[in-house]
Amino acid sequence: MGGFKKFLLRGNLVELAVAFVVGAAFAGLVKDFANSFITPLIALIGGKPDYTRLSVTISGTQFPYGIFVTSAIAFVITASIVYFLVVLPTTKLIERMDRGKAATERECPHCLSEIPIKAIRCRYCTSEVVPTAEVPC
């Protein structure tokens, strides 16, 4: 029982559980944002984006492709919201925060792998490289 308790209280398991709960809440937030604002805007431009009733019948078998089309549209809308309202601003913020930090690695001129600045030999291609005396900003 002690091992099980240790497993449950392990740091990465707790972090994973928290990430899952926050991710689920965030997914609901993005979905509600899309349903409240983006979908009505699309409806103003091109009509109601609900194609679930579209289908084709071949040899007596019905293929409801409209369900897929509606889900694909919802996916593109959701992905766009996440990218433009979360990923892009977060990337810009991280770039701005990291702007003043000194580099600790550089590219090997032979194989273009990242190596330490003071290295005299590349750890990947084993080519000799000229060490950088000062750390560039």
Side-chain angles (χ1 to χ4, degrees):
M1 193 61 151
F4 184 67
K5 182 179 176 183
K6 209 178 204 183
F7 169 74
L8 288 178
L9 297 178
R10 188 184 293 166
N12 56 359
L13 181 67
V14 173
E15 290 172 5
L16 180 63
V18 169
F20 179 77
V21 170
V22 170
F26 184 71
L29 180 69
V30 170
K31 180 182 175 205
D32 291 342
F33 180 80
N35 289 339
S36 299
F37 298 104
I38 305 300
T39 305
L41 286 174
I42 292 172
L44 282 174
I45 296 168
K48 187 173 171 127
D50 181 16
Y51 304 109
T52 54
R53 294 187 182 137
L54 296 177
S55 65
V56 63
T57 304
I58 300 173
S59 298
T61 303
Q62 185 176 11
F63 294 92
Y65 69 92
I67 296 170
F68 174 77
V69 170
T70 302
S71 294
I73 291 171
F75 171 77
V76 169
I77 291 170
T78 303
S80 299
I81 290 170
V82 169
Y83 180 75
F84 288 111
L85 296 182
V86 178
V87 174
L88 199 59
T90 303
T91 303
K92 295 290 183 186
L93 179 65
I94 290 172
E95 286 175 2
R96 187 170 288 174
M97 291 173 56
D98 288 345
R99 201 175 281 164
K101 292 184 180 178
T104 59
E105 293 188 337
R106 63 186 170 124
E107 280 189 349
C108 169
H110 303 283
C111 70
L112 304 178
S113 298
E114 292 291 320
I115 59 172
I117 287 179
K118 295 182 180 180
I120 58 173
R121 187 172 292 276
C122 177
R123 71 177 122 195
Y124 301 105
C125 69
T126 68
S127 298
E128 288 189 30
V129 292
V130 179
T132 305
E134 295 182 25
V135 177
C137 292

